[in-house]
Amino acid sequence: MMLRKLSILAAVAGLMAAGPVLAAGHPLPPKNVEWSFEGPFGKFDQAQLQRGYKVYREVCSACHSMHLVSFRNLGDKGGPFYNAEYKNPNDNPWVKAIAKDYEVADIDSETGDAIKRPATSADRFTSPYPNEAAARAGNGGALPPDMSLLAKARTGGPDYLYSLLTGYVAPPAGLKVGAGQHYNPYMAGDLTASWSGPHDKVPPGGYIAMAAPLKKDLVSFDDGTPSTIDQQAKDVSAFLMWAAEPKMEERKETGFVVILYLLLFSGLLYASYRKVWKNESH
Amino acid sequence: MADTAVGATTEPEHGNDPSRRDFIYIATIAAAAGGAASLVWPFIDQMNPSADTLALASTEFDLTKVAEGQQVTLKWRGKPLFVRNRTAGEIQKAVADDSAAMNDPQKDADRVKPGKAQWLVLIGSCTHLGCVPTFGGGDYGGWFCPCHGSHYDTSGRIRKGPAPLNLAVPEYEFLSDTTVKIG
Amino acid sequence: MSGHSTYEPKTGFERWLDARLPIVRLGYDSFVDYPTPRNLNYWYTFGGILSLCLATQLISGIILAMHYDVGDAFNSVERIMRDVNHGWLIRYMHANGASMFFIAVYIHMFRGLYYGSYKAPREVLWLLGCVIYLLMMATAFMGYVLPWGQMSFHGAVVITNLFGALPIVGESITTWLWGGFAVDDATLNRFFSLHYLLPFMIAGVVILHIWALHVVGQNNPTGVEPKSKADTLPFTPYATVKDGFAMSVFLILFAFFVFYMPNALGHADNYIPANPLVTPAHIVPEWYFLPFYAILRAVPDKLMGVLAMFGAIACLFALPWLDTSKVRSMRYRPTAKMYFFIFVVACCILGLCGAKLPDDPVIPHVKTFLLIDADLNSFVWLSRAATLYYFGFFLVILPILGLKETPLPVPESIASPALSHPAGLPAHATAAPEMKG
C-alpha cells in the first residue's frame, strides 16, 4: 500500500536527517577502523585496553583529565584490568596498585589541613591541572578536553580519535599556520581565512593546539606489541571508547537476549492473533 | 453508536484442536508475564546502593588518634561508628557482667578482637529505632539512648530499656596494631 | 462510556464494589466489551502503542529523577550511566523512548489525517490530540535540556529566544522564562520541575482523549460509521491481541535503538558539558522538531518566522473546519489522496532541510542563480517550497478540494465490502453505494 510505503519513507527520512552533519570546513571523513567492539556481539579487547591505558597514563594524562572515571572502573567487568577472581573491583590488586600511584587532595580529619593522600580504588582519576584557567595557561590558551566522554563527544567516535592522532601532516603550501597551532585535516574548522591559494581549493580540516602527541616507541607495551604510532593511536582510541561507554558489553549482551525474547513473544502474539481472528473476516 | 454498543459478539469458532489453541494462549500469557517480571527487576534494583556508594563502603582508621578512655565517632555507610579505647576499669566491668541476665546475652570477649580488648568498635545506632546513643549516661556506665531510654553497658550490650539487641559490632579487621579496616 | 453497559458482576464482592464504585464496569465497558469497527488496520494500533510509550517514559523518568541532581546535572547523568544499577539502561530507554514516542505520534497523526478522523463528530477528539502533541513538544524540549550538555544548553538558548521575537513583550518574556539574563541554573531548575509536571498533564489529557474516543466511537478505514452488530467486534480479545502484537513489534524497533545504537538519534555535542561561551558549530534540534525548525528558517524575518512556525501547529487545530469534504476517508478521495502523499513528502523534505545548512546546495556542486538572498539550489529555497505546500495543503487545497472533487462511491456499511473480502466485491456491493452516491 502506498500509504504504508510513504510513512516508512517518512520515518527513514526523519532518522537520516538526524544523522551527523558535516561541519563548515568539511574536514576529511574519519578513517574506518575495524574495532573488536563493533557490531552486535562486539567486545573490548582487554589486551588492547591495557595498552591503551598505558598510552593514556604515559602520554595523554599529562594534559588531559578523565574525571568521570574511577580507578575501580578499571577492574569492572569488561574493563582493562578485570579479573574474574576479583568480582569486586575494589579488591583487585592491579586497580589498587594503579590507584596508589596517584595522589588525591583530602582534608586531614584531625587537623583540618588540606593534605594529599594516596588514591584508593573509590577515587576518580585526578586532573593534571587544578582548574580550567590553569589548564588553559599551561597550554597556550587552549583547554585540553576532558577524556572521560571524548569518544562519544566527537562525531565519528573512536574512528575520529584514531584519524586525528595519526592524521598530522605538513600544512599544504599557501596555508598560514599561527604559532601554537597545528594543521590536521581531520579537525573540524574552516581554513578559508588563512588560505592564500585558489578559493575553491581550501584544504580540508582545521587547526588544533595539540602537537602530534604520539611517536614511535614512545610507550613500551608490556605484551611486546610493536609500539608504532598507528598501534598507539588505535589502542588509546579503544581505551577512550571504553572510558566513555564502560557498560557497552553489558548493553549489547542484554540487547541480544531482549531482542530474542521480543521476537519470540511477537511470534506467539501473532499466533494468538491468528487464532482469535480465525473466523472473522476483516 | 448506541445501537451497536451492545456487544456485537460472534463467538469465534476456535480451531479443531482446542489443546493447541490453549497452548498458544497460555504460552503467550506466560511469555508476557516472564518479560514483565524481568523488566521490573532493573527498575527495582536501581534503588539499591550504586557502585560508587558501594566503593566507599569500607574505610581504614588510624587508632593512634584515640587516647585511652576516649571515643571517636566516624561516619561509615552514612551511620555513626564508635571507636572506643576502653580503660581497664571499663573492660573489667564488662567482663564481670558476662553472666548477668541480659536480653541479648553475649560475652565481652566475643565483641572485641582477641588481644585487643581495649578497642571496642560499634555501630552507633540504637537497635530500637536508630537514634544515636550518648556515652556516659545510663545506669551501666556505657551508652544511653535519649530517644526511648535504652541503657547499654561498657561493652555496648543492652541492659535496660526497649532496644532488643546489643549495639552491633561491624565487620572489621586489624591491618596492623594501629590501623583497622572497617567493612 | 456510551450505550448501556453489559457488565454483570459475578461474585458478591464485585456486586458490592459495583454498587459503590463501578470501576470494574468502566474498565469492562471501555476495554472488553467496547465495540470496535472490524476493519481497523495496523495504522490503528498506534493509539495503543502511544499509551505504551507514555507509560515507559513516565516510569523511566520517575526513576531517573531519583538519581538526577539539578545542581550537578551533567555529572549526575554520567553517574546514572556509570554507577547506578542498570542506570545506563533506564537512561537510554528514556532518551530513545522520546524518539519512539514521536515516531508513533506522527504515524498516528498522519493516519488521522488520511482517514478523516478529525471530521464531525470527532473534532474534540482531534483537538485533544493536538493539545497532547503540544504538551509532548514542550516536555521533550525541556527534557532535552536536562543533561546540560552543549546541545541542551544552546538548544534552550535558541528556543527561548524565539519568544524574544514577539513585539513589546518579547524581552520581558524571555527574561521571565530564564529567571536571569541568560539560560542558567535557574532555567535548568524550572525546566526540571516542569518536565516532571507536564507528563502527568499529558496523562490527564490522554484520559480525556480516550473518553472522547469512546463517546463518538472509533473511525475506521472506510470512514463509514458502524451501522449494525456485523460491523463491529468486541475490543477484547480482537483489538487487544492485535494491538499487543503491534506493540511487541514496535518494541523490537525500540530495543534495537536502546541496545545497539543508543546515541544515533542524539548529538555528539551533548556529551560535552554546557559552556555558555562556545556554541557548537551546528545547532540542530532533535529530529522530531526539524520540520518546524525548517519552517522557522525558511522565513527571512525573525517575527514572521516564529509566527509561521506556530502557525504550522495552529493549522492542525483548525483542520476540522478547514476540510470541507463530506467524505471522511481519503480511500474514496483519489485527488485528496494524491495531495496527502505530497504533503507527507513535504513534511519529510522539511525535516531534511531542518538538518541541513540553509545555504548548502541541494544538488551538490551545482550553482543556479541567486534569488533574493540565496542560490535557488539551496536548502533554504527547498524549505520555502515545502513550507508553501505545507500551508497550501491546509489553507487552500483541503477547503477547496472538498467542494470541487468527485469522490469514489462510499460503501454503505463497513461489513458489506469487508465481509466479501478477500473474494472480491460482488456486484451488488459496489452497485448499492453508487445508487446512494
Side-chain angles (χ1 to χ4, degrees):
Chain A
M1 218 178 116
M2 203 172 165
L3 173 61
R4 185 166 309 162
K5 277 184 203 137
L6 278 167
S7 301
I8 291 165
L9 194 74
V12 170
L15 298 182
M16 286 195 326
V21 191
L22 283 179
H26 296 297
L28 291 183
K31 299 175 210 171
N32 191 12
V33 183
E34 281 198 15
W35 303 102
S36 65
F37 48 82
E38 282 176 335
F41 301 103
K43 281 190 187 311
F44 291 114
D45 171 356
Q46 198 178 30
Q48 182 174 47
L49 292 189
Q50 289 184 4
R51 295 194 299 269
Y53 169 71
K54 203 165 185 203
V55 177
Y56 167 77
R57 177 73 176 108
E58 293 180 10
V59 184
C60 317
S61 70
C63 300
H64 291 272
S65 60
M66 195 165 66
H67 78 284
L68 293 170
V69 181
S70 303
F71 295 109
R72 64 187 155 81
N73 293 142
L74 297 170
D76 280 339
K77 198 159 186 295
F81 297 98
Y82 173 71
N83 188 319
E85 257 180 69
Y86 304 98
K87 294 283 181 220
N88 179 353
N90 298 295
D91 299 334
N92 186 312
W94 289 278
V95 172
K96 282 182 166 177
I98 288 168
K100 261 207 180 91
D101 280 351
Y102 284 80
E103 281 208 316
V104 292
D106 204 349
I107 303 289
D108 188 310
S109 59
E110 199 89 325
T111 61
D113 292 339
I115 51 160
K116 291 266 186 189
R117 61 162 174 85
T120 69
S121 59
D123 287 306
R124 292 174 169 201
F125 274 88
T126 53
S127 304
Y129 300 100
N131 52 52
E132 190 188 321
R136 282 189 189 279
N139 290 282
L143 177 71
D146 183 80
M147 281 190 157
S148 339
L149 284 167
L150 206 58
K152 284 204 290 187
R154 298 290 183 275
T155 308
D159 282 351
Y160 165 80
L161 298 178
Y162 167 79
S163 306
L164 189 85
L165 286 170
T166 55
Y168 284 89
V169 287
L175 187 70
K176 201 169 133 267
V177 181
Q181 286 182 323
H182 308 272
Y183 170 68
N184 193 310
Y186 296 96
M187 183 74 184
D190 193 342
L191 298 172
T192 316
S194 44
W195 173 247
S196 54
H199 192 67
D200 57 342
K201 294 225 159 51
V202 181
Y207 297 126
I208 178 168
M210 174 174 76
L214 302 176
K215 286 182 198 70
K216 191 168 165 19
D217 296 327
L218 185 62
V219 179
S220 68
F221 292 130
D222 304 330
D223 60 0
T225 305
S227 185
T228 59
I229 291 182
D230 188 78
Q231 189 67 40
Q232 293 165 17
K234 244 180 217 156
D235 293 347
V236 80
S237 303
F239 171 74
L240 290 176
M241 187 63 218
W242 168 80
E245 186 87 357
K247 305 283 182 184
M248 193 198 70
E249 282 186 16
E250 190 187 343
R251 166 160 63 77
K252 289 181 174 176
E253 281 166 12
T254 315
F256 178 70
V257 178
V258 169
I259 289 187
L260 207 64
Y261 163 78
L262 282 174
L263 286 171
L264 181 85
F265 185 48
S266 301
L268 281 171
L269 272 168
Y270 188 69
S272 301
Y273 161 72
R274 290 299 295 265
K275 286 275 164 198
V276 167
W277 284 77
K278 195 169 173 125
N279 296 306
E280 296 298 340
S281 63
H282 52 283
Chain B
M1 278 308 290
D3 58 335
T4 58
V6 183
T9 329
T10 9
E11 194 58 40
E13 283 173 37
H14 300 300
N16 302 331
D17 185 356
S19 65
R20 192 171 149 237
R21 178 197 78 209
D22 290 347
F23 169 74
I24 286 170
Y25 294 157
I26 291 165
T28 310
I29 291 165
S38 4
L39 181 66
V40 162
W41 172 242
F43 289 175
I44 293 171
D45 188 40
Q46 51 85 19
M47 277 171 61
N48 278 319
S50 55
D52 55 339
T53 311
L54 289 174
L56 294 170
S58 71
T59 182
E60 288 176 20
F61 182 69
D62 178 10
L63 294 170
T64 57
K65 292 173 185 172
V66 196
E68 190 177 323
Q70 296 295 307
Q71 165 181 325
V72 162
T73 307
L74 311 171
K75 198 170 146 193
W76 178 68
R77 293 185 180 173
K79 282 187 213 162
L81 189 80
F82 297 153
V83 180
R84 182 158 186 87
N85 188 347
R86 298 193 292 180
T87 61
E90 285 171 38
I91 301 169
Q92 210 175 10
K93 210 169 154 192
V95 174
D97 280 358
D98 272 353
S99 50
M102 280 186 268
N103 279 342
D104 183 14
Q106 201 178 13
K107 289 204 186 316
D108 184 61
D110 297 338
R111 295 175 59 77
V112 293
K113 298 288 173 193
K116 307 274 184 192
Q118 80 266 37
W119 295 110
L120 183 62
V121 180
L122 298 173
I123 292 172
S125 169
C126 181
T127 56
H128 181 221
L129 292 169
C131 294
V132 182
T134 50
F135 189 80
D139 302 347
Y140 295 87
W143 288 265
F144 173 71
C145 179
C147 289
H148 306 97
S150 293
H151 301 252
Y152 298 91
D153 65 12
T154 53
S155 187
R157 292 172 295 199
I158 180 68
R159 302 299 291 272
K160 191 174 145 191
L165 297 171
N166 301 334
L167 288 178
V169 177
E171 207 180 285
Y172 71 98
E173 57 177 332
F174 279 85
L175 297 179
S176 69
D177 274 357
T178 56
T179 324
V180 277
K181 183 187 171 212
I182 300 141
Chain C
M1 291 180 206
S2 68
H4 77 268
S5 177
T6 55
Y7 171 65
E8 281 168 32
K10 285 182 192 75
T11 64
F13 172 72
E14 283 177 79
R15 272 191 295 277
W16 179 86
L17 185 67
D18 196 53
R20 286 155 183 81
L21 180 73
I23 189 164
V24 183
R25 179 181 297 274
L26 179 72
Y28 183 85
D29 294 345
S30 309
F31 302 110
V32 179
D33 195 35
Y34 181 72
T36 57
R38 64 189 310 138
N39 60 336
L40 298 185
N41 53 30
Y42 279 107
W43 299 111
Y44 280 82
T45 59
F46 280 87
I49 288 169
L50 283 164
S51 332
L52 182 74
C53 289
L54 180 62
T56 309
Q57 292 304 87
L58 272 170
I59 294 169
S60 57
I62 288 169
I63 288 171
L64 290 175
M66 292 181 193
H67 304 285
Y68 177 74
D69 174 4
V70 194
D72 192 18
F74 187 88
N75 291 334
S76 74
V77 170
E78 273 308 309
R79 193 181 152 269
I80 292 171
M81 294 293 290
R82 289 160 191 269
D83 287 335
V84 172
N85 304 324
H86 314 283
W88 60 268
L89 171 65
I90 297 162
R91 191 208 157 209
Y92 277 151
M93 274 176 72
H94 197 69
N96 288 286
S99 284
M100 295 301 127
F101 208 153
F102 275 95
I103 288 176
V105 90
Y106 282 135
I107 295 176
H108 192 65
M109 288 161 76
F110 278 123
R111 190 270 290 152
L113 195 57
Y114 184 80
Y115 293 121
S117 303
Y118 48 85
K119 287 171 175 291
R122 297 187 178 82
E123 301 96 324
V124 173
L125 177 62
W126 174 263
L127 288 183
L128 287 167
C130 292
V131 171
I132 294 170
Y133 177 55
L134 266 187
L135 287 171
M136 274 176 65
M137 291 204 286
T139 310
F141 159 66
M142 286 189 275
Y144 193 60
V145 176
L146 300 185
W148 212 229
Q150 274 288 66
M151 275 294 169
S152 297
F153 181 87
H154 293 280
V157 170
V158 169
I159 300 293
T160 49
N161 268 311
L162 287 180
F163 295 94
L166 298 172
I168 307 165
V169 293
E171 206 183 320
S172 321
I173 290 183
T174 45
T175 310
W176 174 76
L177 280 174
W178 294 332
F181 304 107
V183 173
D184 209 338
D185 293 351
T187 325
L188 177 63
N189 225 325
R190 63 192 57 185
F191 277 13
F192 178 48
S193 172
L194 292 172
H195 182 72
Y196 203 103
L197 167 72
L198 286 185
F200 295 97
M201 293 176 64
I202 292 178
V205 185
V206 164
I207 290 173
L208 296 181
H209 189 66
I210 295 173
W211 185 7
L213 173 74
H214 284 220
V215 169
V216 295
Q218 278 169 291
N219 185 28
N220 65 78
T222 63
V224 179
E225 297 290 349
K227 293 196 172 69
S228 69
K229 283 181 185 176
D231 290 343
T232 63
L233 290 167
F235 191 90
T236 301
Y238 294 97
T240 339
V241 72
K242 193 167 183 172
D243 282 1
F245 171 62
M247 279 181 205
S248 185
V249 172
F250 187 79
L251 280 177
I252 295 175
L253 176 75
F254 188 5
F256 183 75
F257 273 104
V258 167
F259 293 107
Y260 294 113
M261 38 198 315
N263 294 307
L265 298 174
H267 299 281
D269 281 306
N270 224 25
Y271 281 109
I272 304 172
N275 180 358
L277 305 182
V278 186
T279 301
H282 287 265
I283 286 289
V284 185
E286 290 288 83
W287 68 266
Y288 36 83
F289 292 139
L290 288 173
F292 298 104
Y293 190 58
I295 291 176
L296 172 79
R297 292 197 303 192
V299 184
D301 178 75
K302 183 175 174 183
L303 175 62
M304 294 311 286
V306 173
L307 290 180
M309 194 175 73
F310 286 114
I313 300 166
C315 283
L316 295 172
F317 280 86
L319 176 63
W321 297 276
L322 290 172
D323 185 357
T324 51
S325 168
K326 295 271 184 298
V327 177
R328 224 180 247 135
S329 171
M330 286 194 190
R331 190 180 266 186
Y332 309 107
R333 301 175 63 197
T335 324
K337 192 194 272 186
M338 184 188 75
Y339 286 118
F340 168 82
F341 287 127
I342 300 174
F343 176 74
V344 175
V345 172
C347 290
C348 297
I349 288 174
L350 281 172
L352 181 73
C353 293
K356 299 283 183 187
L357 285 175
D359 290 333
D360 271 4
V362 179
I363 306 159
H365 314 301
V366 175
K367 265 199 187 330
T368 54
F369 57 91
L370 197 75
L371 190 64
I372 307 174
D373 57 352
D375 191 275
L376 190 65
N377 177 26
S378 65
F379 279 103
V380 71
W381 272 108
L382 183 63
S383 64
R384 281 170 189 166
T387 303
L388 204 65
Y389 186 81
Y390 183 100
F391 285 105
F393 179 73
F394 283 111
L395 302 177
V396 181
I397 295 172
L398 284 180
I400 294 178
L401 197 62
L403 306 172
K404 298 265 178 197
E405 74 184 338
T406 319
L408 296 177
V410 175
E412 200 167 3
S413 74
I414 295 171
S416 57
L419 283 176
S420 53
H421 191 79
L425 298 178
H428 66 268
T430 42
E434 265 168 0
M435 290 193 297
K436 255 198 114 184

